[in-house]
Amino acid sequence: MRLRNITGSREVIAESPYVVPEDTLEDCPGTWHEIFGNDHPIHIEIGMGKGRFLHTLAKLNPQINYVGIEKYSSVLLRAIQKMEEDELPNLKFIRMDAEDIDKVFGKGEVDRIYLNFSDPWPKDRHAKRRLPSRQFLARYDVILKKEGTLEFKTDNRPLFDFAVEELEPAGWQAKVITYDLHSDAALMEGNVMTEYEEKFSSIGNPICKYIIFR
């Protein structure tokens, strides 16, 4: 269960230099290279949790700018604390609902999108809230560069099956689909594990992954 209510977390987020202020988000589309101060590619993770995955990537790839999006303040607080211990110039955070993602990045401004162990929203009536749904794929289509890709990992097989079924009606194609990532040596080369991936794979849950494009 994610922590959602730590007293003072919203105040810490508002004052953090690592977080893009919420009242400036509507001005961000088309300006991310200015925000970072360079023309490096932009990769984003939607629903980044405590930020370990993205922090690791940013440290390994200083030539890429990373933006982590997280809805819950108390979870984002953990990522901020990690940055305070190990500051990286190519990593920024946003506290926001993913439904507004196409209002924060401009058309074709993002090179890659990561979705990791997203909330499955198991009830059918909530299908459009799932991050790999066709509704969200339409939003990603706006902000992703023409040659850009989206990577999705989960141990939740029903959610992954749903995600794969959404591709064709949404106009996307799969470059890679695996139902057991950790058994694929080629795909595991350079794989950065999230906290959930480490936890679930350690108890024998197969990790599913796809890489998709339009």
Side-chain angles (χ1 to χ4, degrees):
M1 179 66 70
R2 288 182 166 180
L3 299 174
R4 300 184 184 183
N5 295 298
I6 294 179
T7 301
S9 59
R10 292 295 292 267
E11 289 75 15
V12 172
I13 290 169
E15 296 172 2
S16 174
Y18 312 121
V19 180
V20 180
E22 290 185 47
D23 60 359
T24 69
L25 292 179
E26 63 181 19
D27 299 321
C28 287
T31 70
W32 281 97
H33 290 310
E34 297 174 24
I35 292 171
F36 281 103
N38 57 56
D39 292 326
H40 297 167
I42 297 172
H43 294 186
I44 70 174
E45 182 183 9
I46 302 174
M48 70 167 185
K50 298 176 184 177
R52 189 180 81 171
F53 172 81
L54 213 58
H55 194 279
T56 302
L57 281 181
K59 195 164 188 176
L60 290 172
N61 303 289
Q63 76 284 4
I64 297 173
N65 294 324
Y66 292 91
V67 182
I69 292 94
E70 175 56 48
K71 179 178 180 179
Y72 298 113
S73 300
S74 296
V75 182
L76 176 53
L77 181 62
R78 304 306 190 195
I80 292 172
Q81 291 169 338
K82 177 67 174 175
M83 277 283 275
E84 289 172 344
E85 298 169 1
D86 188 9
E87 184 174 351
L88 299 173
N90 60 327
L91 177 57
K92 300 285 186 184
F93 304 132
I94 300 174
R95 197 207 73 81
M96 62 172 286
D97 192 302
E99 289 185 357
D100 296 322
I101 195 71
D102 53 344
K103 299 176 184 176
V104 174
F105 295 92
K107 184 173 177 61
E109 195 169 20
V110 175
D111 295 78
R112 185 174 300 168
I113 298 172
Y114 293 102
L115 307 176
N116 291 311
F117 298 86
S118 307
D119 190 330
W121 290 102
K123 295 181 180 180
D124 289 342
R125 69 175 183 271
H126 293 153
K128 66 180 181 181
R129 298 187 183 183
R130 299 169 189 161
L131 291 183
S133 68
R134 67 188 71 182
Q135 289 83 1
F136 272 99
L137 289 174
R139 296 180 176 101
Y140 308 147
D141 183 53
V142 174
I143 66 174
L144 198 62
K145 286 187 176 178
K146 184 177 180 180
E147 65 276 14
T149 56
L150 184 153
E151 300 189 10
F152 173 49
K153 289 194 287 189
T154 184
D155 72 315
N156 188 308
R157 181 60 185 268
L159 176 62
F160 191 71
D161 289 342
F162 166 82
V164 171
E165 291 170 0
E166 291 289 271
L167 296 181
E168 185 175 350
W172 290 64
Q173 301 178 60
K175 181 178 180 181
V176 169
I177 295 180
T178 178
Y179 295 89
D180 192 358
L181 170 64
H182 289 214
S183 294
D184 190 314
L187 288 177
M188 281 298 289
E189 186 174 346
N191 180 61
V192 173
M193 287 202 288
T194 73
E195 291 172 324
Y196 283 120
E197 182 175 356
E198 196 170 77
K199 174 184 176 181
F200 293 135
S201 63
S202 71
I203 61 175
N205 291 11
I207 306 301
C208 303
K209 178 178 180 176
Y210 71 36
I211 302 174
I212 62 173
F213 64 98
R214 292 100 71 229

